[in-house]
Amino acid sequence: MKIEKQIEFIEAVFAGLEKQEMKQDADGITHQINAKRYTSSARLASEKNILFKNFPLVVGAAAALKKPGDYFLHDFTETPIMVVKGKDEVIRAFLNICRHRGVRLLEEQQGHIRRNIVCPYHAWSYDTKGCLKGIFHPQGFHEVDADSHSLIELECQVRLGLIFVVPNPELKGKIDIDGWLQEVYQVTEGFDFGALVPYDDRMGQLNCNWKLLIDGGLEGYHFKIAHASTIGPYFLDNMSVNEANKLHSSIVFPKKAMKKLMGSPRSEWRIRKYANILIQIFPNTIVLIEPDHLMVVNNFPLDEKTTLSASFMLLPAEPQTQEERDHWDLNANIFWNAINEDNEMAVLQQKSFNAHSATYMTIGSYEKLILQFEDLTDAALAGNLQLV
Ligand code: FES
Ligand SMILES: [Fe+2]
């Protein structure tokens, strides 16, 4: 983040604190969100079909694929995806489907391809660039060649150490990923994240709609209450400042320690030490920028009431000593204790919505980004938010 922007954010926090003291920190306008958005199977079906098919999704960390030939599978959307680091070091994504009669090619969740990917049915083989290399008894397949029958490639780009894949093969080559991530770059530019090494991968299934997990990240109103025994005491109560973004929400959650900057020269103000900065990459990823590392949470809907949450830390360098591992483990635990509290709230919301005991949510001034996110999903489902 540019220094001027950091200073602007910090100034906004201090102005916010003054307004908070005078009880003028909000316009008080409330809205309602219909609870059916979180229980409708028809809505979830179109979310899967559009949001989780036509948009760049974070499928993992680039540094997880260390050597050429390393791969992992991603089966959290309707599309079976394999992500492979080619012998040329380029990371690509393909449909994990044989071009002969459609057998799933790779079954192990992650691994290493020595030379070629060989289909277990009739041994058609493909290299790490997806190119058809061999057909068993080729005389039976005159019209088949690498041009027509290589693996189906998906749009796949590495940015910020993350692998973005668009599951819809028809969009290959048509996505301007840098245009799409402009708002994200405005936050991340100028920060040194180091090697962005993944650490402490976790995966969990949660009994709630995926959007409730995103909503929980978009406001700091709950910090003092829901996180009272974990991170709450370290943050300024109900004090967050956000960018007026159109696609990806970015919010600064200032720590109490930020107050130390009051009275010191603005030129010395740096935000990362004194705040957590959250970026929600539309639709389903949350990146939390902490002082010395990043946390990444990706929420994939299994059905309208169940979500698979796949997360990892991104560290500036591979930890080398036990002391370093202890440091990151401690950080991870702090994060996970807080995230579990958020997740619990989402599960409790879902219980009420499932029982049709709550028909709508009330959204106040402090929670406007939730409305913005919900509006954006509506726009995308209506075809009004397209990348091509
Ligand atoms: S289905 Fe793959 S080789 Fe036949
Ligand atoms: Fe929270």
Side-chain angles (χ1 to χ4, degrees):
M1 193 187 291
K2 287 199 175 109
I3 307 266
E4 308 85 69
K5 184 128 228 109
Q6 298 188 37
I7 293 171
E8 251 174 56
F9 267 122
I10 295 169
E11 278 173 342
V13 169
F14 293 158
L17 282 174
E18 258 175 49
K19 281 191 180 170
Q20 200 177 49
E21 229 163 75
M22 292 154 71
K23 307 223 180 303
Q24 291 172 351
D25 59 330
D27 57 25
I29 295 169
T30 53
H31 296 266
Q32 290 186 351
I33 292 181
N34 194 319
K36 286 205 180 99
R37 301 172 74 87
Y38 308 99
T39 57
S40 157
S41 55
R43 184 182 171 93
L44 196 270
S46 54
E47 287 172 353
K48 277 191 172 186
N49 206 26
I50 295 172
L51 303 178
F52 291 87
K53 200 165 164 204
N54 297 339
F55 287 83
L57 304 174
V58 173
V59 296
L65 300 175
K66 292 195 173 83
K67 299 186 297 294
D70 284 357
Y71 79 89
F72 64 79
L73 304 184
H74 190 274
D75 288 306
F76 309 148
T77 67
E78 305 287 284
T79 310
I81 300 170
M82 70 163 94
V83 184
V84 186
K85 186 167 196 161
K87 296 283 180 262
D88 57 356
E89 304 260 339
V90 175
I91 293 176
R92 297 180 180 83
F94 306 101
L95 294 185
N96 184 17
I97 294 174
C98 180
R99 296 302 308 280
H100 175 217
R101 274 168 51 199
V103 156
R104 214 175 133 83
L105 286 166
L106 296 169
E107 261 305 306
E108 283 290 316
Q109 209 46 45
Q110 58 190 52
H112 181 76
I113 300 155
R114 263 167 199 274
R115 236 177 109 230
N116 289 327
I117 302 162
V118 182
C119 180
Y121 203 179
H122 315 89
W124 284 29
S125 59
Y126 308 87
D127 69 12
T128 55
K129 291 185 191 169
C131 192
L132 178 67
K133 283 312 233 195
I135 295 180
F136 185 50
H137 295 306
Q139 59 277 21
F141 295 91
H142 273 171
E143 255 123 72
V144 173
D145 62 16
D147 286 339
S148 64
H149 284 73
S150 287
L151 294 183
I152 294 179
E153 194 169 348
L154 308 175
E155 183 67 25
C156 176
Q157 300 283 347
V158 174
R159 296 291 187 279
L160 303 165
L162 301 170
I163 305 171
F164 290 85
V165 171
V166 182
N168 184 351
E170 287 170 21
L171 299 181
K172 168 85 186 112
K174 296 185 183 158
I175 303 277
D176 170 14
I177 187 80
D178 292 321
W180 173 245
L181 293 176
Q182 254 333 295
E183 290 174 345
V184 176
Y185 295 158
Q186 278 170 19
V187 178
T188 57
E189 67 179 331
F191 286 147
D192 181 8
F193 299 127
L196 295 163
V197 177
Y199 185 75
D200 195 23
D201 279 31
R202 297 195 190 196
M203 209 177 293
Q205 199 170 308
L206 294 160
N207 293 323
C208 62
N209 185 281
W210 69 277
K211 295 190 300 304
L212 291 173
L213 298 171
I214 302 290
D215 292 354
L218 297 180
E219 48 90 358
Y221 178 44
H222 70 280
F223 275 31
K224 192 171 180 182
I225 316 300
H227 299 308
S229 57
T230 55
I231 57 166
Y234 298 99
F235 287 84
L236 291 170
D237 173 35
N238 196 24
M239 178 51 58
S240 56
V241 182
N242 57 276
E243 270 296 59
N245 288 350
K246 292 201 162 53
L247 298 169
H248 315 289
S249 295
S250 50
I251 322 164
V252 168
F253 295 113
K255 294 175 185 165
K256 285 181 179 164
M258 189 181 277
K259 281 183 166 181
K260 279 189 211 156
L261 295 176
M262 284 173 167
S264 69
R266 278 174 168 64
S267 56
E268 288 170 17
W269 288 2
R270 297 292 179 273
I271 204 165
R272 232 181 128 184
K273 190 171 164 195
Y274 299 104
N276 280 356
I277 306 165
L278 183 144
I279 308 172
Q280 179 231 343
I281 304 180
F282 186 82
N284 67 326
T285 291
I286 283 180
V287 176
L288 189 67
I289 302 176
E290 301 209 32
D292 57 0
H293 68 286
L294 306 182
M295 297 293 317
V296 182
V297 181
N298 304 298
N299 296 306
F300 293 94
L302 297 177
D303 61 35
E304 65 278 14
K305 299 167 185 172
T306 327
T307 300
L308 191 122
S309 195
S311 322
F312 47 86
M313 296 169 90
L314 286 176
L315 306 185
E318 187 87 50
Q320 303 293 342
T321 62
Q322 192 52 44
E323 200 184 343
E324 284 175 3
R325 276 187 286 277
D326 289 346
H327 167 77
W328 296 120
D329 290 343
L330 186 73
N331 268 277
N333 281 339
I334 294 169
F335 177 80
W336 282 108
N337 288 338
I339 258 296
N340 287 338
E341 289 168 340
D342 289 326
N343 294 348
E344 240 170 70
M345 293 301 131
V347 170
L348 292 177
Q349 286 176 291
Q350 188 73 40
K351 270 190 184 169
S352 310
F353 300 159
N354 289 351
H356 306 292
S357 308
T359 53
Y360 65 88
M361 300 202 294
T362 305
I363 301 292
S365 306
Y366 307 123
E367 300 151 305
K368 280 181 183 149
L369 290 181
I370 297 176
L371 277 184
Q372 188 178 304
F373 169 55
E374 293 294 337
D375 286 348
L376 202 57
T377 59
D378 283 352
L381 297 190
N384 298 327
L385 175 66
Q386 291 175 349
L387 280 85
V388 290

